[in-house]
Structure formats: C-alpha cells, structure tokens
Amino acid sequence: MSPRQTVVSNDPRVKATQQARRAQSAWNELPAAQKTIGVVVAVALLVGAVMFVQLQRTPQLGPLYTGLSSADGGAVVEQLQAAGVPYELADGGATVLVPSEQVYDLRLQMSAAGLPGDDTGGYSLLDEQGVTASQFQQEVAYQRAMEGELARTVASIDGVETAVVHLAIPEKDVFLEESDTPTASVLVDTATGTTLDKGQVQAVVNLVSSSIEGMTPESVTVVDDEGTMLSASGAAGAVGGAGGEAGELTAEFESRVAGDLQALLDTVVGPGNAVATVTAGLNFDEAEATTERFLAPEAGVLPLSQTIETEDYTGAGNGEAGVLGPDNIAVPNGTGGADSAYASESTTVNNAVGKVTERVVSAPGAVERLSVSVVVDRDAVARADMLALQDTVSAAVGLDAARGDVVSVTQMPFDVGDAEAVQAELDAAAEAEAAAGQQQLIWNAVLAGLVLLVVIATIIMGTRRRKKREPVDLGLYEPVEEAAPPAPLPPVPAPREALPAVPDPEAEQMAALQQQREEVIDLVDREPAEVAELLRSWLADRRSA
C-alpha cells in the first residue's frame, strides 16, 4: 500500500485532524456577530466556573462572638492567631467571624481560656479584697459589685444588648435624723431595630429600685443609647406617672371610639363622605367611699335584751312624804291628807337591727364627658336623614345627657379640589408608569425579534451556501474508466516462503486522484472565497487565450 493510501485509512489520528480542520472551517464561515457572541459566552462560562471553584474553596464564616469590647476582641484575636485559625472582623471589631464548622469548638477553647472576660465585675470584686482593705475601699467595692450585678441582670432582658448602671448611695451618718434618698441611672443599649416598651422600662425601674435599700422607683433614670429619656427621676417624670399615662390613655380611648364611629359612617354614607372627631374627658382620680345602712327589725324576731320597771301606789294619808330638802330632811307636800295614787313604768327593749357596710373603690379612667363632632358632605346625605344619622351616632358612642355629653352632626360642602388634584397626579403617574413599562416591553420584544431574525438569517444563509456547493472540475485530470478485474491466475503450488506483493499501477493512480479530489473539496470548504477568486482568474485567462 502506498503512502497516499495511508492518509485515507481509518487511522484515529487522521480522523481527528480532519475533524479539527472541519471545525476550523465551520468557525471561519460564521459571521462576525456570531463569533463575538460565542467568545462572550465562552468567557462568561469560564469566569463563572472560576468563581464557582473559588467559592467552593472559600470557607463559610460564622459569628464566634458579637458585641465584644475592645479588650475582649483583642484577646480573642490573639488566641485565634496563636491557634492559626482564619478569622474576619466586623462591626468595628465587635464581631469575630471564623469558619462555621469550627465555631463551637473554638467557643469551648475560648471559654477554657477565660474569654471573653467579664468587664462588669459583679460580686467577684469582693473576692479580690485583701485583709488590709479600709472601710472606704470596702464600700466602693460593694457599690461596684452592685452596679455590675444590676447591669448584668438588666442586660438579660430581651432586646437589651448591654447595660451600665451607676448608683449614688449617700453615706449614713448616725448624727442625722434624715438622710438623702439613693438614686440610680441606667444606660441601656438595645439591639438594632428594637425599642423597649413601657412595661420593660417599668421592669428595669422596679428591678433597680427594689435592689437598693431606701430607693424608690421615682429615683431611677433610664436612658437608651441614643440619649432618649425612657424614665426620668422624680414623681412627675416617672414611668406610669399620672401626666404621661393619663394623656396616652385618653388619646387611645379617643382614637378607638373615633375609629369605630368612622367605620360606621363609612358603611352608612360611604367612604370619604363623613369625618368624625371625638374628645373625651377621663377622670384618673382613684376614689374610695364607705356607706353604712341600718335595716328595720323583722317581725317575730326576739329582742336581744329587754328591761321593764313598774311602780304603782294607791291610798290615803301621808303616803307621799314629799321631797327631800336640805340636809336630807323631808319637806311635806301639802297633799298628804287627801286621797292619792302613784304609778311609775320604765321599759327598755334592744331589738336585733341589721347593718350593711359598703366599700366602693372607683378605678381611674372613668369617662366624665364626651364630645363628638361629625361633619357630613352635603352631597352625600339628604337633609331629611340627618336626624336619623344623629340618633345613630348618639347610640354608637353611648351618649349620656346627664353626664354632659354632646353630639353634633352637621352638613358642609367638602373641599375635594386637593383630593382631585392628588388623584389626578396619581392617575397620571400610574399611566406614565404603565406606558413606560409597555414601551420597555415593546423594546424588549423588538430586540428579541431582531436577535431571532439574525439567527434565522444566519442559519438560512449557511444552509443555502451548503446547498450551492457543487463539485468543481478543475481540469486537472480526466476521468479514468475503471479497468476490468484481472483474470484469475492459475493455482500455483504454495511456495515455501510468501512472495512479495506485486504493486498495481492503476490502483495507485486511482488512490492518488481520490486523495487530490478530497484535498480540493477540503480547500473549497475551508477557503471558499479564495477558491472562487482562483476560478475566476482561471476563467479570465482561458477567455483571454
């Protein structure tokens, strides 16, 4: 077999070379736009693969500690560096991030090393006192311990990150009959997006005041990390004081009554056709009254005690000695000689009388007076229905004329100019937004259509180009008729050794022509423009000849 026949054999390396040439030829035939898109897609896939591998190699970090002080943060970082653990700092160094799979193990190691430390101290400060500590040092250490324990307790409340407590405890003097009241100030640092409600602030006030002997809730001041006064010292500013709480309760009551009444009006006259305003006067004085009533004795009930005394005297003569005079000497009365009669009767009865004692405690917050004003749009309700509407409003708010309540229902024309202008602006904005969205949708559709047309045109042009390709006779050789197969040779006795193959000139010529034909076809596939230009030049040469 000749070397030409080796090229067209089934060798895998030859096939790979031919496929590579065909791929290169197909790539060269693509338009510039498709080549650009292909390059961009390949680069994007490569970048995405690199980023994916990088993310897989990067360890996921989790918070080891949050809200650390500068001292604790430095100590924790030093331990991590010594252990060779990768870490990151966040929130200005207050948060330490470590690989998520090592969080719990590192916490145990830090806890064994005494980290993070306890800056509040607490009662542990009392253990550090020596035997030679003076009374002043003992008092200061005790006060610091109380401040630390209270701060630690306040910080355990939900929503409080850290807390600082300062105590002002006056010195006790045996020569003073009265001493100053101790005071306290509490600074709380709440979590992000969290605020303490009144119940939690009151809990902090009561907690601190009940922990110090002689301290009252009015002596505690609570401030948050933004400087907002949550509870001021003094009776007027204390949490739950009559002033602030009374105003809030009154406003809440008015808002609730007005909301219920507005919902009723919207149902009756339609939304936006009536406006209700409620003003209430609440009594926050706590009163206590005690009443005693005695009941008449019931018939047939025996008395508790009874005393009866009766004296009766009838006769003549000196039955009556008269009255005693000075020195206990009887003085005659001048009627001793006549007929006389004497009677004396005394009766005392103690009956069982029932007694009723009533003790009434009035809770603060009773309604003293209620004023309700309702304004209805003139075009919404007919004047004949105003009386019925007023009766409905009076029944809804629980009108009590004896208490001095007032209900006013009037008709007035509503000024809807601003509302119409605002509504017109809202409608215009909505229409503009819808138009912009529709225009964007149209542009997206046009762009997608253009891309689709480009792809379809490219496919059609490629298909037509392949269909137009025909074998070109370059006149390099004349077709050769296939020779008849040679006649079989007579059988020859098998030689002792195999004879060498006799070369066939016609077969070699056919193989060479076939190889040249494939090379020409391959050249046409790879460089169609150059082959066409070459053919034009040959035709021009033939015509000129």
Side-chain angles (χ1 to χ4, degrees):
M1 184 179 292
S2 64
R4 294 285 185 180
Q5 293 175 343
T6 305
V7 176
V8 295
S9 64
N10 294 328
D11 191 352
R13 291 176 296 180
V14 176
K15 287 187 176 182
T17 304
Q18 293 177 353
Q19 291 177 359
R21 290 178 179 177
R22 291 171 184 171
Q24 184 179 2
S25 176
W27 172 259
N28 294 332
E29 292 178 2
L30 293 176
Q34 293 187 3
K35 291 182 179 180
T36 304
I37 295 174
V39 172
V40 171
V41 172
V43 172
L45 292 176
L46 180 60
V47 173
V50 172
M51 293 180 63
F52 179 76
V53 174
Q54 188 68 20
L55 289 176
Q56 292 295 326
R57 291 181 179 179
T58 303
Q60 299 294 328
L61 300 180
L64 179 63
Y65 292 111
T66 59
L68 293 175
S69 62
S70 57
D72 290 339
V76 170
V77 168
E78 185 178 355
Q79 290 289 333
L80 294 176
Q81 291 177 351
V85 178
Y87 67 91
E88 290 184 7
L89 298 179
D91 298 335
T95 301
V96 180
L97 303 176
V98 296
S100 301
E101 63 274 7
Q102 302 181 13
V103 169
Y104 300 105
D105 295 338
L106 290 175
R107 284 181 183 175
L108 294 176
Q109 297 177 11
M110 296 298 170
S111 178
L115 294 175
D118 189 3
D119 294 334
T120 57
Y123 288 129
S124 60
L125 295 175
L126 302 179
D127 299 334
E128 301 175 0
Q129 291 185 358
V131 181
T132 59
S134 62
Q135 182 179 359
F136 175 76
Q137 292 176 343
Q138 293 177 357
E139 292 178 355
V140 171
Y142 175 74
Q143 182 172 339
R144 290 179 58 194
M146 288 297 298
E147 292 174 350
E149 291 295 330
L150 288 174
R152 184 183 303 170
T153 306
V154 173
S156 63
I157 297 177
D158 187 18
V160 179
E161 293 288 341
T162 57
V164 180
V165 179
H166 297 287
L167 301 177
I169 303 176
E171 297 181 1
K172 295 182 180 180
D173 194 344
V174 295
F175 298 102
L176 296 178
E177 295 182 358
E178 297 181 359
S179 59
D180 296 334
T181 303
T183 59
S185 60
V186 182
L187 175 65
V188 293
D189 182 9
T190 58
T192 304
T194 303
T195 57
L196 299 181
D197 56 16
K198 287 190 174 296
Q200 291 176 316
V201 175
Q202 186 65 49
V204 172
V205 170
N206 293 335
L207 175 66
V208 175
S209 61
S210 60
S211 301
I212 305 300
E213 181 182 358
M215 183 178 294
T216 60
E218 292 78 12
S219 302
V220 180
T221 301
V222 181
V223 182
D224 63 2
D225 55 338
E226 296 181 355
T228 304
M229 187 75 67
L230 302 180
S231 172
S233 60
V239 176
E245 186 176 359
E248 292 182 1
L249 291 177
T250 302
E252 182 181 355
F253 175 78
E254 293 174 349
S255 177
R256 179 171 56 83
V257 176
D260 296 342
L261 182 58
Q262 188 65 48
L264 175 64
L265 293 174
D266 292 342
T267 305
V268 175
V269 300
N273 293 325
V275 178
T277 304
V278 178
T279 302
L282 304 182
N283 184 8
F284 291 93
D285 297 335
E286 186 175 355
E288 180 178 350
T290 303
T291 304
E292 292 184 357
R293 293 185 293 108
F294 295 93
L295 304 178
E298 299 180 0
V301 178
L302 297 177
L304 296 178
S305 62
Q306 184 175 5
T307 301
I308 300 176
E309 295 181 0
T310 304
E311 293 183 4
D312 189 12
Y313 176 78
T314 302
N318 295 328
E320 295 181 2
V323 297
L324 294 178
D327 299 331
N328 293 327
I329 299 175
V331 179
N333 53 13
T335 59
D339 294 337
S340 63
Y342 171 77
S344 176
E345 183 177 356
S346 175
T347 302
T348 302
V349 178
N350 293 325
N351 294 317
V353 179
K355 178 182 179 182
V356 177
T357 303
E358 294 181 356
R359 180 174 176 268
V360 179
V361 178
S362 299
V367 179
E368 289 186 342
R369 191 172 184 272
L370 193 64
S371 299
V372 180
S373 175
V374 177
V375 181
V376 183
D377 189 7
R378 182 177 297 174
D379 300 331
V381 180
R383 184 170 295 275
D385 298 334
M386 292 299 295
L387 295 177
L389 183 61
Q390 185 169 359
D391 294 339
T392 302
V393 172
S394 300
V397 299
L399 179 67
D400 189 357
R403 192 174 55 190
D405 296 349
V406 178
V407 173
S408 174
V409 180
T410 57
Q411 276 186 316
M412 291 185 180
F414 280 15
D415 184 9
V416 296
D418 295 339
E420 292 177 353
V422 171
Q423 186 63 34
E425 292 180 359
L426 292 177
D427 294 340
E431 291 178 358
E433 184 177 358
Q438 186 175 4
Q439 185 177 5
Q440 183 65 29
L441 182 61
I442 293 174
W443 279 111
N444 293 338
V446 170
L447 181 60
L450 291 176
V451 173
L452 183 61
L453 289 176
V454 170
V455 174
I456 294 175
T458 304
I459 295 174
I460 293 175
M461 291 176 63
T463 305
R464 289 180 177 178
R465 184 179 297 174
R466 292 189 181 91
K467 288 182 178 179
K468 289 182 178 180
R469 292 176 183 172
E470 295 178 357
V472 179
D473 188 5
L474 300 179
L476 298 180
Y477 62 92
E478 296 293 335
V480 180
E481 297 180 358
E482 295 182 359
L489 299 176
V492 181
R496 296 180 180 178
E497 295 181 0
L499 299 176
V502 178
D504 188 357
E506 294 182 358
E508 293 181 359
Q509 184 179 3
M510 290 296 296
L513 293 176
Q514 182 66 23
Q515 178 66 24
Q516 292 177 0
R517 185 181 182 85
E518 290 181 359
E519 290 179 356
V520 171
I521 293 175
D522 187 32
L523 179 62
V524 172
D525 290 338
R526 288 187 290 104
E527 303 293 342
E530 296 181 0
V531 173
E533 186 65 25
L534 180 62
L535 292 176
R536 292 192 191 97
S537 62
W538 287 353
L539 292 175
D541 294 341
R542 289 184 179 181
R543 289 175 184 175
S544 61

